[in-house]
Amino acid sequence: MPTSSSRTRITRLLRPNRVKGLGIDIGTSGIKIAEVSQGRHGLRWLSRAYHPFEQPWNDEGLDAAELSSRLLDQLPRTVDGVPRDATVSLPASLCVARIVRRQDAKTVGTQMHNELGPDAQWCAWQVPGKQPEEEHLVAYGLRSDFAQAVGHTLERCGYRCVRIDAQPFALYRLRNLDAISQPAVDGVIDWGWRSCVMMLGTDRGPGLMRELPRCGLRELVENAADRMNCTVEAILGVLRRSEEVKSATDSGRRTSDQARDILGPWIRRVAHEIDQTLRFTKRIGCVGSTRSLLLGGGVGSLPNVSTMLSSETTLNVRRWCWLGEKRFRSSAWSPPDAIHANAFSLAATDLIEPPVASDVAERSAVVAH
């Protein structure tokens, strides 16, 4: 008769050795895709892809039909014809966030459905305060017509959209997916073309999420072009070269110095907004003390950004990097991991254990009809 240990061994042999997840991060400047698997020795980063748009999206006034058309034009197709389950996120500008008082928590579902539509996708999480009466809920949702457009378009491209994840939870998971930080860092900044979103976490889930005003890359390059009397393309060219050159050479040092001159005023503005955010959280007591931040997104991957921001804020700031033992082969020309940070988190949604004491928050992160 088999023993308990032998039954366990047989079960492990019959169980699939690897479970895969696919994350699709749809931004205003491109689509980032990451494929992650969970095996006996932890997570493995199998592959990644980045599909930049020729021109960044202007998502102001974007409707569901235009969103569907753009995705249909830009999304890569699956190559084997087999539908792939995917977890997706959309730009924060297409979502709606509302703060709900504790006494109104029972009616939050009705409020979100009234505002976003009967089939709206939404989630909510509880944010503590210094006093019980200061506790509140943050509701975060996507209009029903946007959700339907995304689901139908992904299906036409060979994917099954199993979840449209709320950005706060995707960023929250990154705190535990850095492979450097033990314990988890205090917050994450997702820095892209149009937006700079800051999430501060608690041991129960997201504590605060704020879009830092006028801090996206578009603001930077337009202001720098005016200040230096040159074109936006010239500014972007300097920033791109700063990613590729070696600073040990004379030309590399000149490019790095030019990039620092471009970034300097902008970094100070971002540091000011971070300081304002931390003052606010300290006043209302929604999160604990903040000492460390991770940078993700295209801007977060630029050289010198993390070190310059650290010196301006006195926080420990670094760009997100996966240093797990298992990952795809990369070359010297591979883009930094931080570009794909959000896509990695989406892919790992169902592969990782939920953080301690966050049952409610994690269940809420599954944005259901």
Side-chain angles (χ1 to χ4, degrees), residues 224-354:
D226 289 341
R227 192 175 74 247
M228 298 182 173
N229 195 25
C230 61
T231 65
V232 166
E233 289 71 21
I235 298 296
L236 288 172
V238 172
L239 295 178
R240 291 193 188 102
R241 289 195 299 275
S242 71
E243 294 184 70
E244 302 169 358
V245 300
K246 296 182 179 180
S247 58
T249 64
D250 289 340
S251 62
R253 280 192 290 270
R254 283 195 299 272
T255 302
S256 296
D257 290 342
Q258 286 178 324
R260 283 180 176 273
D261 290 340
I262 293 171
L263 293 170
W266 184 56
I267 290 291
R268 288 190 286 274
R269 176 197 293 176
V270 175
H272 171 74
E273 293 297 337
I274 291 174
D275 181 64
Q276 293 291 98
T277 304
L278 297 182
R279 288 174 183 269
F280 173 74
T281 59
K282 184 177 181 180
R283 187 169 68 251
I284 67 173
C286 63
V287 298
S289 61
T290 301
R291 302 183 183 87
S292 55
L293 292 174
L294 283 177
L295 297 183
V299 180
S301 68
L302 290 174
N304 304 321
V305 168
S306 57
T307 54
M308 293 174 71
L309 199 55
S310 288
S311 63
E312 291 289 340
T313 61
T314 68
L315 297 172
N316 177 14
V317 183
R318 65 171 179 277
R319 61 185 184 183
W320 185 85
C321 181
W322 174 249
L323 291 183
E325 294 182 2
K326 305 294 184 180
R327 64 176 292 150
F328 57 88
R329 291 184 178 181
S330 57
S331 69
W333 301 104
S334 296
D337 289 352
I339 293 177
H340 295 85
N342 206 37
F344 185 100
S345 175
L346 296 169
T349 301
D350 294 324
L351 305 182
I352 60 175
E353 292 292 331

Side-chain angles (χ1 to χ4, degrees), residues 12-56:
R12 286 177 178 172
L13 288 172
L14 295 176
R15 184 183 302 158
N17 184 44
R18 192 174 292 159
V19 180
K20 295 181 181 179
L22 186 72
I24 302 178
D25 177 22
I26 301 170
T28 55
S29 61
I31 297 175
K32 282 79 70 177
I33 301 175
E35 185 179 30
V36 179
S37 70
Q38 173 70 281
R40 295 171 183 164
H41 303 292
L43 294 177
R44 178 169 184 167
W45 196 349
L46 298 178
S47 62
R48 66 182 183 182
Y50 177 41
H51 299 267
F53 303 148
E54 289 187 10
Q55 294 293 330

